[in-house]
Amino acid sequence: MASDVQEPTTTYDEEASPYGELRLDLPALTALLDGDYAEIRAKVREGLVEYASVLEDAETMTRDEFRERVKDVVLELAATGQTGMGFPEEYGGGGDIGASIAAFETLGFGDLSVLVKVGVQFGLFGGAILQLGTKRHHDAYLAGLVKGEILGCFAMTETGHGSNVQALGTTATYDPETQEFVIQTGSPAATKDYIGNAAKHAQLAAVFAQLVVGGERHGVHALVVPIREGDTVLPGITITDDGPKMGLNGVDNGRIRFDGVRVPRDALLDQFAQVTEDGQYVSEIDNANRRFFTMLGTLVQGRVCVGAAGISAAKVALTIAVEYGLRRRQFEATQDDREEILLDYGMHQRRLFPLLARTYALHFGQQVLTTQLHDIFSGVNTDELARRQLESRAAGTKALATWHATRTIQECREACGGAGYLSENRFTALKADTDVFTTFEGDNHVLLQLVAKGLLTDYASDFEDLDQFGMVRFVAGLAVETVLERSRAHKLLEGLRDAFGSDKWDQDTGLLDPNYHRAMLEFREEHMIGGVARRLKRGIDAGMNPGEVFSRVQDHVVAAARAHVERLVLDAFLDAVAEQPDGDLKTVLNLVCDLHALSSIEADRAWFMEHGRLTSQRSKAISREVNELCRRMRPVAGDLVRAFGVPREMLRSEALLSWGEE
Amino acid sequence: MASDVQEPTTTYDEEASPYGELRLDLPALTALLDGDYAEIRAKVREGLVEYASVLEDAETMTRDEFRERVKDVVLELAATGQTGMGFPEEYGGGGDIGASIAAFETLGFGDLSVLVKVGVQFGLFGGAILQLGTKRHHDAYLAGLVKGEILGCFAMTETGHGSNVQALGTTATYDPETQEFVIQTGSPAATKDYIGNAAKHAQLAAVFAQLVVGGERHGVHALVVPIREGDTVLPGITITDDGPKMGLNGVDNGRIRFDGVRVPRDALLDQFAQVTEDGQYVSEIDNANRRFFTMLGTLVQGRVCVGAAGISAAKVALTIAVEYGLRRRQFEATQDDREEILLDYGMHQRRLFPLLARTYALHFGQQVLTTQLHDIFSGVNTDELARRQLESRAAGTKALATWHATRTIQECREACGGAGYLSENRFTALKADTDVFTTFEGDNHVLLQLVAKGLLTDYASDFEDLDQFGMVRFVAGLAVETVLERSRAHKLLEGLRDAFGSDKWDQDTGLLDPNYHRAMLEFREEHMIGGVARRLKRGIDAGMNPGEVFSRVQDHVVAAARAHVERLVLDAFLDAVAEQPDGDLKTVLNLVCDLHALSSIEADRAWFMEHGRLTSQRSKAISREVNELCRRMRPVAGDLVRAFGVPREMLRSEALLSWGEE
């Protein structure tokens, strides 16, 4: 595909460049991006090519046919072992959590119904059995579900409660007489809803319900409930179809209602709490709130996976748009007799390259996250604080990565014009299928508030009232504790002064100095978190209703969390670049990292000016530099997307990508 | 629907408000929005309700079935007269261009395949016959096409040329022997592509081709070419289907190739140029470029319509999201025993209300545009400058309105969570169908460059080289001439000084003073246009290739055009508010206009700070004020969306909008 790509017609003043002439070793870059799991990624890529026809099936088949097709592909993939990498080897899994994330991430280049069905079966359902269940559940289900012989669903969300899952309405009441739990859907709002695999294929459901023992409520717990035998829905259970969705129509989402459904006592996934034969509730974790968040915390892998999938989808979109931009010509611009290559237009570079740079940044941010997940869930790292940080980071990265996917896919579609609107060119599926990524596995705004809660824990003693009334419920969904040390504020600013020898680091440092980029993002993060804490305290002190105080400060809360995650992502990218040996590859990565950092600062330059960290002159200089970096990137843009290693078959776009071959 | 809406639980310090207690007369606001054409709008709303089932058909029917269904609906609408309002009465039309836009705009609440099929048949095809043809074409086709007995398509775009239509590859060569034109598709890139109505239903095509007479090329002209009789494609013509698209699948887009297709001499739509029997080319407009843009200029109505449709789609999305936000509760926030209404959260208000305010602004901007279109095409206004301004304004408004639609629909979907992802809740169709609005009838980036060209004409003498080499081709597509007077810069700044008594208007005026809002947007516009001109001149003077200069300045060019249109939109809103008599309605409109103006300034506050028109303190004050305005708007938000008058049936969303009714 590289052969017909056009050299840029614009020329540069090479002497003014800190990068010199760019040379890129494509296989080396691909190897760097693939990281430790190149082998499993290669295997998944092969599978993607083998089942490439599923991309077209999504358009041509009826919904019913496509659901069956997707199920079949998932089962065939399961047979190869690539979907079970995260399960223990004794149950037929691969015993490698990092590999399972890498496999899932790579699967995100292909049809996303397949991806989500894999996520539901192995990540959500399988994850619930593995993490919340104990040996008897593992023995009963894991081998079968890894092979795809047992299909299950994850029945948490209800029509009335998606974000506030602590308030679920379904109940599981223990009947000591029969030693059974009775599952009951209460009001219509307590109907399990949007449940993947429920409408057609699942035999079992991991049902989250308020556990009631001896008349006492103990909060939300999960139980394994058979819902179907063959195609027959079991008595007491009503399943309806969620109907056509914007995308992911190969996944059979449905609604489940339970009316007095009885399951044996050992259906309770009892890793964190047990009910004895005679109806005693027992848990090592006394605090109900803490117990709930501990349970949820073990399911963090789902969020890690959704973020990874968002980044992969953005890579596919960028690959198509950049390759097209390298071929397609429009308007005679620099020459009289030949139209100009789209990607030689400054505006076209501006539209695509900062998104490309950010995709690289998120890739490295995601890699750090995956490593942390692997280390903690493999027992390499047993530190409790590290676990809390992982949960926070997973939530924040998921939010940033999925919003990035939505935005990038949209911009890439527009950059491909009317051709981008034809389904054969993949944007149709990418847009429709990824749209819900910003919502499922946690609404992005709720997730960022969760991140903020962790950051604010330092300040918690300043406003206990708020914690009591507001924060806990606002940011429910997962426990995130101290992420920043109490003393972090001072350390940070001291670090900045040390690094630059004065407090004027924001003016003295060169625009391309990575220390400048890091310092800017750290300053913003710290200042925003402190600002939110002060605003909350002020409102509480003034006697306002804590809920209303929170509501008024909510945009600052979300902004602070975002600033935190942005800093984590930049750190990951800077660290990855720093680890590279000097050479061509490092030079190119430096350029991409500079563009990401500066375009990030540019995007929020108003804030930096408002807070005295950016003069208007320097702000304008940053915008000029971003344009310059885009021009610098132009000669390597093609290889930068090729390094993602999206198989050609996943791009489709025959007509789009045959420009220049005439 | 209003009965079950919740009163806000937050309380306000009413004394601090310049608005006092808000009261809204819903019918009066609806009447204001409906304007002069309330009657035709009411008629269209009735039709929408009558054919409401088409919204569901889009999901349940096959593509072939749905195309037929959409055609049938279009024909039935045609029979009522509401799609032909813009055609002369002697041919069965309504003779009222303003009414035709109002009807189309209202039709935008419904299924958008129906809308686009109407646009293709009556706006594009019918418009070409009406505007580019002469009496014999009118007599032959208009009555039939108004009734829907003659279906046609508009064959301009080619696979290789969508934006640069002056470079189309199809040729129409005059053969004096037979007095025929021979239509020929050249290379594959010259295939007519994405042509609505072409794949299935059109009998005729208005074909745009390079006219060749006596071996000489005269540029692009339009001819009427029969392409189909019944279901049979005529000899020499090859039509293929564009296949599944992201949306609008009720419209049969296709590709057309012509191989030596002969049409009689009078097939040429000869309003602006004729070919005599003996093969002489005659035109009153000598300059080929000017002739081409004059022809295209008569088709401006298409852009006006797409902008209007984008605004209507945004209204539908906002109606659903706001009504849902008024009913749905999540998390106990201010009370211990009851969850909070979504729309009482500050962040939720922040996400939706500035978009709602902007929708109002664009509505009034669009109304001014429609009036201008009506006056010029009805002969009320014959001023040539006014025509150029109309073309510029139509291009710019289309760009802003359609981007706004994309953004608003996305935000509204996310604000409705997972439920927004189910097709029954309309966001699926709204997203998929409107996506191409940013591309068709002119790519938004190209359109804004076109607007910029008009603004830069003042400065043209400063860089003739650029005009020769670059600008003309970059911004081709429609001629736009002097929009701003040469002396405008000085007038503007003088006006500002007069209005505020000093040059410190940017600090002395209250944040809610409409003069402040107007002055800020005027300053930005003027400064940006001058800045682009200076940058272009500097590059040319330095001896750079004009095309490359343009490429480097392109982001400034687009920003300047956007600033211009933003100012026009605000002006329209301010004027509409000023025209209102004092009273409750004016108070509410003032609030909405303030929110639009301040959130617009806030969105670009970095630029204002960089250019010395905003201190960091005042910038922060604006953000606080935007939050405050959102809180103020909360009690009337429901009525603000209800005033759009979107029929209940067009919202669907039964489950979403039944919250609070349990």
Side-chain angles (χ1 to χ4, degrees):
Chain A
M1 209 154 61
S3 62
D4 54 351
V5 163
Q6 315 296 330
E7 288 303 302
T9 52
T10 40
T11 52
Y12 307 109
D13 177 8
E14 291 304 339
E15 285 175 41
S17 168
Y19 310 105
E21 196 187 332
L22 294 175
R23 260 181 291 264
L24 184 52
D25 179 348
L26 182 54
L29 180 54
T30 301
L32 174 68
L33 293 176
D34 278 0
D36 292 340
Y37 295 105
E39 203 175 322
I40 178 74
R41 288 184 198 269
K43 189 171 175 182
V44 174
R45 284 187 179 108
E46 279 169 29
L48 287 171
V49 174
E50 190 175 341
Y51 299 106
S53 60
V54 74
L55 296 173
E56 204 176 327
D57 296 338
E59 286 159 29
T60 55
M61 287 182 171
T62 65
R63 197 154 51 93
D64 283 339
E65 288 166 354
F66 188 52
R67 283 174 169 187
E68 296 307 313
R69 168 74 170 136
V70 166
K71 186 187 82 169
D72 291 343
V73 172
V74 170
L75 295 184
E76 288 167 37
L77 291 176
T80 69
Q82 60 186 273
T83 59
M85 295 304 296
F87 292 94
E89 287 172 299
E90 62 260 45
Y91 298 110
D96 188 330
I97 291 154
S100 85
I101 307 291
F104 192 85
E105 186 172 283
T106 310
L107 205 57
F109 292 153
D111 177 77
L112 297 175
S113 285
V114 171
L115 180 89
V116 170
K117 189 117 179 156
V118 164
V120 166
Q121 165 71 12
F122 304 98
L124 295 177
F125 173 67
I129 301 289
L130 179 65
Q131 301 293 341
L132 303 180
T134 47
K135 186 157 191 308
R136 80 169 165 271
H137 305 107
H138 298 171
D139 289 347
Y141 305 120
L142 284 187
L145 79 84
V146 167
K147 276 187 267 185
E149 290 167 1
I150 300 173
L151 296 182
C153 64
F154 184 82
M156 178 184 276
T157 298
E158 297 176 354
T159 308
H161 288 104
S163 293
N164 186 11
V165 282
Q166 260 188 304
L168 291 176
T170 305
T171 51
T173 308
Y174 187 64
D175 177 355
E177 200 117 334
T178 62
Q179 296 199 26
E180 290 173 323
F181 291 100
V182 185
I183 317 288
Q184 186 72 39
T185 301
S187 70
T191 306
K192 295 296 175 186
D193 206 344
Y194 318 110
I195 310 300
N197 252 1
K200 278 281 173 191
H201 296 138
Q203 293 129 41
L204 298 178
V207 177
F208 289 79
Q210 303 288 352
L211 193 71
V212 184
V213 184
E216 199 181 333
R217 291 173 79 110
H218 294 279
V220 172
H221 292 65
L223 307 93
V224 182
V225 182
I227 58 171
R228 202 180 259 119
E229 268 184 24
D231 290 339
T232 310
V233 174
L234 295 174
I237 293 172
T238 313
I239 296 182
T240 51
D241 202 305
D242 269 318
K245 306 185 298 287
M246 188 179 295
L248 301 177
N249 278 305
V251 183
D252 51 319
N253 294 77
R255 303 186 179 100
I256 316 176
R257 292 184 57 78
F258 301 93
D259 186 14
V261 173
R262 289 180 168 263
V263 290
R265 190 173 61 93
D266 63 8
L268 181 69
L269 293 171
D270 57 353
Q271 175 67 40
F272 297 101
Q274 303 82 36
V275 175
T276 62
E277 287 186 18
D278 59 338
Q280 301 299 313
Y281 179 84
V282 184
S283 173
E284 282 188 9
I285 308 171
D286 281 342
N287 182 293
N289 207 38
R290 191 177 164 81
R291 188 166 55 233
F292 176 68
F293 289 123
T294 302
M295 289 186 199
L296 280 194
T298 62
L299 305 175
V300 65
Q301 190 171 330
R303 284 180 187 157
V304 175
C305 282
V306 172
I311 297 168
S312 292
K315 288 175 180 174
V316 176
L318 281 164
T319 304
I320 298 170
V322 168
E323 292 280 13
Y324 177 65
L326 285 168
R327 289 163 172 76
R328 171 79 173 193
R329 295 172 175 274
Q330 199 73 282
F331 293 115
E332 300 84 357
T334 52
Q335 301 170 64
D336 237 359
D337 55 350
R338 186 145 203 212
E339 290 182 298
E340 194 82 354
I341 292 169
L342 278 192
L343 213 54
D344 281 341
Y345 286 103
M347 191 74 205
H348 213 75
Q349 295 169 1
R350 256 282 182 179
R351 291 168 73 180
L352 296 178
F353 291 174
L355 294 174
L356 177 54
R358 188 173 174 78
T359 304
Y360 266 81
L362 286 165
H363 171 97
F364 288 109
Q366 182 75 29
Q367 243 179 16
V368 171
L369 179 63
T370 301
T371 303
Q372 290 180 350
L373 178 82
H374 179 86
D375 288 351
I376 286 168
F377 279 74
S378 305
V380 176
N381 183 344
T382 57
D383 179 41
E384 193 53 28
L385 176 63
R387 189 176 271 265
R388 296 286 91 83
Q389 287 176 333
L390 169 69
E391 289 166 12
S392 168
R393 187 171 192 140
T397 304
K398 185 269 184 186
L400 260 58
T402 56
W403 271 326
H404 176 69
T406 299
R407 184 174 149 219
T408 300
I409 293 165
Q410 182 66 34
E411 193 65 52
C412 290
R413 196 298 287 162
E414 293 182 30
C416 290
Y421 196 62
L422 302 185
S423 300
E424 63 183 14
N425 295 325
R426 279 229 67 189
F427 294 108
T428 296
L430 287 173
K431 254 192 85 162
D433 291 343
T434 60
D435 180 85
V436 78
F437 285 14
T438 53
T439 298
F440 69 12
E441 288 290 313
D443 170 88
N444 282 359
H445 283 101
V446 174
L447 290 182
L448 287 179
Q449 290 171 58
L450 189 69
V451 171
K453 178 173 182 291
L455 301 176
L456 287 166
T457 306
D458 287 336
Y459 299 89
S461 59
D462 290 344
F463 39 90
E464 281 173 12
D465 278 354
L466 190 70
D467 232 33
Q468 185 192 337
F469 265 102
M471 289 293 292
V472 171
R473 289 162 198 143
F474 275 100
V475 300
L478 188 64
V480 175
E481 284 167 17
T482 314
V483 171
L484 285 180
E485 302 294 320
R486 186 151 190 79
S487 60
R488 184 171 165 117
H490 303 291
K491 275 194 203 151
L492 266 181
L493 291 177
E494 274 166 28
L496 294 178
R497 280 189 207 100
D498 290 351
F500 301 105
S502 82
D503 195 36
K504 286 169 68 187
W505 53 269
D506 52 356
Q507 296 151 56
D508 294 346
T509 336
L511 290 182
L512 300 182
D513 185 333
N515 289 314
Y516 172 65
H517 305 156
R518 202 189 289 263
M520 287 290 271
L521 265 56
E522 288 189 352
F523 173 80
R524 179 178 63 177
E525 174 187 5
E526 184 55 36
H527 196 286
M528 280 188 171
I529 297 167
V532 168
R534 281 190 302 276
R535 282 185 174 84
L536 290 172
K537 186 167 179 352
R538 206 185 302 142
I540 303 289
D541 289 351
M544 286 172 74
N545 179 312
E548 191 179 337
V549 175
F550 188 84
S551 175
R552 292 197 175 207
V553 179
Q554 209 176 4
D555 56 332
H556 293 276
V557 171
V558 169
R562 197 190 280 253
H564 169 67
V565 190
E566 288 284 356
R567 196 263 304 162
L568 291 178
V569 168
L570 178 65
D571 276 356
F573 199 175
L574 286 170
D575 291 349
V577 176
E579 279 169 20
Q580 282 296 305
D582 287 345
D584 292 343
L585 187 53
K586 184 171 192 159
T587 304
V588 170
L589 286 173
N590 251 324
L591 166 64
V592 179
C593 192
D594 284 345
L595 178 56
H596 167 66
L598 281 189
S599 56
S600 296
I601 293 169
E602 184 194 32
D604 207 14
R605 66 196 197 282
W607 188 91
F608 287 108
M609 283 190 275
E610 284 170 353
H611 295 83
R613 282 296 169 195
L614 197 56
T615 64
S616 59
Q617 286 312 308
R618 197 166 165 97
S619 178
K620 290 193 224 176
I622 286 175
S623 289
R624 281 194 300 274
E625 190 64 46
V626 168
N627 277 351
E628 180 63 24
L629 291 171
C630 285
R631 280 193 292 279
R632 297 277 166 207
M633 191 185 270
R634 162 67 182 88
V636 292
D639 279 347
L640 284 173
V641 295
R642 284 169 214 131
F644 294 145
V646 182
R648 174 66 186 89
E649 290 80 357
M650 297 300 100
L651 305 178
R652 301 187 70 200
S653 311
E654 290 306 328
L656 269 185
L657 300 185
S658 64
W659 281 100
E661 285 171 4
E662 283 177 44
Chain B
M1 208 152 59
S3 61
D4 54 351
V5 165
Q6 317 294 333
E7 288 304 301
T9 51
T10 40
T11 53
Y12 306 110
D13 176 9
E14 290 305 339
E15 285 174 39
S17 166
Y19 309 105
E21 196 188 335
L22 293 175
R23 260 181 292 265
L24 185 52
D25 178 348
L26 181 54
L29 180 54
T30 301
L32 174 68
L33 293 176
D34 278 0
D36 292 340
Y37 295 105
E39 203 175 324
I40 179 74
R41 288 184 199 269
K43 190 172 174 181
V44 174
R45 285 187 179 108
E46 279 169 30
L48 287 171
V49 173
E50 191 175 340
Y51 298 107
S53 59
V54 74
L55 296 173
E56 205 177 327
D57 296 338
E59 286 159 30
T60 54
M61 287 182 171
T62 66
R63 199 154 49 95
D64 284 339
E65 289 167 352
F66 188 53
R67 284 174 168 185
E68 296 307 313
R69 167 74 169 139
V70 166
K71 187 186 82 167
D72 292 343
V73 173
V74 170
L75 295 183
E76 288 168 36
L77 291 177
T80 69
Q82 60 187 275
T83 59
M85 294 304 296
F87 292 95
E89 287 171 300
E90 63 260 44
Y91 297 109
D96 189 330
I97 291 153
S100 85
I101 306 292
F104 192 85
E105 187 171 284
T106 310
L107 206 56
F109 293 152
D111 177 77
L112 298 175
S113 285
V114 171
L115 181 92
V116 169
K117 189 119 180 153
V118 164
V120 167
Q121 164 71 12
F122 304 98
L124 295 177
F125 173 66
I129 301 290
L130 179 65
Q131 301 292 342
L132 303 180
T134 48
K135 185 159 190 310
R136 80 166 167 274
H137 305 108
H138 297 170
D139 289 348
Y141 306 120
L142 284 187
L145 79 84
V146 166
K147 275 186 268 185
E149 290 166 2
I150 301 174
L151 295 183
C153 64
F154 183 84
M156 179 184 275
T157 298
E158 296 177 353
T159 308
H161 288 103
S163 293
N164 186 11
V165 283
Q166 261 189 304
L168 292 176
T170 305
T171 50
T173 308
Y174 187 64
D175 178 356
E177 199 115 334
T178 61
Q179 297 199 23
E180 290 172 324
F181 291 100
V182 185
I183 317 289
Q184 187 71 40
T185 301
S187 69
T191 306
K192 296 296 175 186
D193 206 345
Y194 317 109
I195 310 300
N197 253 0
K200 278 283 174 188
H201 296 137
Q203 294 129 40
L204 299 177
V207 176
F208 289 79
Q210 303 287 352
L211 194 70
V212 183
V213 184
E216 198 181 334
R217 291 173 79 111
H218 294 279
V220 172
H221 293 65
L223 304 95
V224 181
V225 183
I227 58 170
R228 201 180 257 119
E229 268 183 25
D231 289 339
T232 310
V233 174
L234 295 174
I237 293 171
T238 313
I239 297 181
T240 50
D241 202 306
D242 270 317
K245 306 185 298 288
M246 188 179 296
L248 301 176
N249 278 305
V251 182
D252 51 318
N253 293 77
R255 304 186 178 99
I256 317 176
R257 292 184 56 79
F258 301 94
D259 185 14
V261 174
R262 290 179 166 264
V263 292
R265 189 173 61 94
D266 62 8
L268 181 68
L269 293 171
D270 57 353
Q271 175 68 38
F272 296 101
Q274 304 80 38
V275 175
T276 63
E277 287 185 20
D278 59 339
Q280 302 298 314
Y281 178 85
V282 185
S283 173
E284 281 188 10
I285 308 171
D286 281 342
N287 181 294
N289 207 39
R290 190 178 163 79
R291 189 167 54 235
F292 176 69
F293 289 124
T294 302
M295 289 185 198
L296 280 194
T298 63
L299 305 175
V300 64
Q301 191 171 330
R303 283 179 187 158
V304 175
C305 282
V306 173
I311 297 168
S312 291
K315 288 175 180 173
V316 176
L318 281 165
T319 304
I320 298 169
V322 169
E323 292 281 12
Y324 178 64
L326 286 168
R327 288 164 174 74
R328 171 80 172 190
R329 295 172 176 273
Q330 198 74 285
F331 293 114
E332 300 85 357
T334 52
Q335 302 169 65
D336 236 359
D337 54 350
R338 186 145 201 208
E339 290 182 300
E340 194 82 355
I341 292 169
L342 277 192
L343 213 55
D344 282 339
Y345 286 103
M347 191 74 204
H348 213 75
Q349 296 169 2
R350 257 282 182 180
R351 291 169 72 179
L352 295 178
F353 291 174
L355 295 173
L356 177 55
R358 188 173 173 78
T359 303
Y360 266 82
L362 286 165
H363 172 97
F364 288 109
Q366 182 74 28
Q367 243 179 16
V368 171
L369 179 64
T370 301
T371 303
Q372 289 180 351
L373 178 82
H374 180 87
D375 288 352
I376 286 168
F377 278 75
S378 305
V380 176
N381 184 344
T382 57
D383 178 41
E384 194 53 28
L385 177 62
R387 190 176 270 266
R388 295 287 89 82
Q389 287 176 332
L390 169 69
E391 289 166 12
S392 168
R393 186 169 192 141
T397 305
K398 185 268 185 188
L400 261 58
T402 56
W403 271 326
H404 175 69
T406 299
R407 184 174 149 219
T408 300
I409 293 164
Q410 183 66 35
E411 193 66 51
C412 289
R413 197 298 287 161
E414 292 181 31
C416 290
Y421 197 61
L422 302 185
S423 300
E424 63 183 15
N425 295 326
R426 280 230 66 189
F427 293 108
T428 296
L430 287 173
K431 254 191 86 161
D433 291 343
T434 60
D435 180 86
V436 78
F437 285 13
T438 54
T439 298
F440 69 12
E441 288 290 313
D443 171 90
N444 282 359
H445 282 101
V446 174
L447 290 182
L448 287 179
Q449 291 171 60
L450 190 69
V451 172
K453 178 174 183 292
L455 301 175
L456 287 166
T457 307
D458 287 337
Y459 299 89
S461 59
D462 289 345
F463 39 90
E464 282 174 12
D465 278 354
L466 191 69
D467 232 33
Q468 187 191 336
F469 266 101
M471 290 293 292
V472 171
R473 290 165 198 140
F474 274 101
V475 298
L478 188 65
V480 175
E481 285 167 15
T482 314
V483 172
L484 286 181
E485 301 295 319
R486 188 155 189 74
S487 59
R488 182 167 167 120
H490 303 292
K491 276 194 203 150
L492 266 182
L493 291 177
E494 275 166 28
L496 294 178
R497 279 188 208 100
D498 291 350
F500 300 106
S502 82
D503 195 36
K504 287 168 66 187
W505 54 267
D506 52 357
Q507 296 151 56
D508 294 346
T509 335
L511 289 182
L512 300 181
D513 186 334
N515 289 314
Y516 172 65
H517 306 157
R518 203 190 288 263
M520 288 290 272
L521 264 57
E522 288 189 352
F523 174 80
R524 179 178 63 176
E525 174 187 5
E526 184 56 34
H527 196 284
M528 280 188 171
I529 297 167
V532 168
R534 281 190 303 277
R535 282 185 174 83
L536 290 172
K537 187 166 178 355
R538 207 184 302 142
I540 303 290
D541 289 351
M544 285 173 74
N545 180 312
E548 192 180 335
V549 175
F550 187 85
S551 175
R552 291 198 176 207
V553 178
Q554 209 176 2
D555 56 332
H556 293 276
V557 170
V558 169
R562 197 190 280 251
H564 169 67
V565 191
E566 288 283 356
R567 196 264 305 163
L568 290 178
V569 168
L570 178 65
D571 276 356
F573 200 175
L574 287 170
D575 291 349
V577 176
E579 278 169 20
Q580 281 297 305
D582 287 345
D584 291 342
L585 187 53
K586 186 172 192 159
T587 304
V588 170
L589 286 173
N590 250 324
L591 167 64
V592 179
C593 191
D594 285 345
L595 178 56
H596 167 66
L598 281 189
S599 56
S600 297
I601 293 169
E602 185 193 32
D604 208 14
R605 66 196 197 280
W607 188 91
F608 287 108
M609 283 189 275
E610 283 171 353
H611 295 84
R613 281 296 170 197
L614 198 56
T615 64
S616 59
Q617 285 313 309
R618 197 168 165 95
S619 178
K620 290 193 223 175
I622 287 176
S623 289
R624 280 194 300 272
E625 190 64 47
V626 168
N627 277 352
E628 180 63 25
L629 290 171
C630 285
R631 279 193 292 277
R632 298 276 166 207
M633 190 185 270
R634 163 66 182 89
V636 292
D639 279 347
L640 284 173
V641 295
R642 283 168 214 134
F644 294 145
V646 182
R648 175 65 187 88
E649 291 79 357
M650 297 301 99
L651 305 178
R652 301 186 72 200
S653 310
E654 290 306 327
L656 268 185
L657 300 185
S658 65
W659 280 100
E661 285 171 2
E662 283 177 45

